Amino acid sequence: MTEAPAPDAAPDTAPPTGPTCNACGGRAAVQWQRRLTDIEFAAHLALEQQRRDERLHLADPQQPAPDFGPLPTPGECVTPIYGCVSHAITADAAALVHQKTCSAPDPARLPGCDCTPEPAPKPTPDPEPAPLPPGWS
């Protein structure tokens, strides 16, 4: 005899929680990044400028004005892209930042995409060890 599920239990057909595939809306299995399109970057800059303006408006006039630094540049901004098991790209490709025109996840191009991702950053060399104190060998 099996027990009936509790009345407050979520049905098996519940929509996925968390990130969903950009192609089909299913549960995401892989994530990679691409640069923002020109329209996305303009919207990002507008939000950042609005945030800065609001902080300046709310700042205490008896304190120094907040220093925000320069506005972000397109080379500093990325957006996540998600793919389900059926719309996933390779792990090596997912580790790189893709161009803003990347069409992945595109079922016709999987497990790849139609752009040339940016090269991976060069690893930083290990620092030279500090010299040993006198008398140590």
Side-chain angles (χ1 to χ4, degrees):
M1 178 177 205
T2 58
E3 293 183 27
D8 59 345
D12 291 338
T13 59
T17 58
T20 58
C21 177
N22 288 63
C24 68
R27 195 174 310 271
V30 66
Q31 182 241 326
W32 60 97
Q33 299 175 31
R34 69 164 171 78
R35 295 288 172 203
L36 299 177
T37 64
D38 295 337
I39 293 170
E40 291 169 334
F41 182 69
H44 175 67
L45 273 184
L47 283 173
E48 176 62 19
Q49 189 60 53
Q50 180 183 0
R51 182 189 71 83
R52 290 177 180 206
D53 293 344
E54 184 178 351
R55 295 245 350 250
L56 283 172
H57 178 72
L58 297 174
D60 185 348
Q62 296 177 355
Q63 298 292 325
D67 180 22
F68 302 110
L71 285 169
T73 63
E76 299 170 327
C77 301
V78 293
T79 189
I81 303 296
Y82 300 100
C84 64
V85 174
S86 300
H87 298 113
I89 61 175
T90 65
D92 290 338
L96 303 173
V97 175
H98 292 248
Q99 296 175 6
K100 63 184 174 183
T101 57
C102 185
S103 65
D106 179 0
R109 302 186 191 287
L110 294 174
C113 65
D114 66 344
C115 79
T116 303
E118 296 174 9
K122 295 185 191 275
T124 56
D126 291 335
E128 291 293 322
L132 295 174
W136 289 35
S137 55

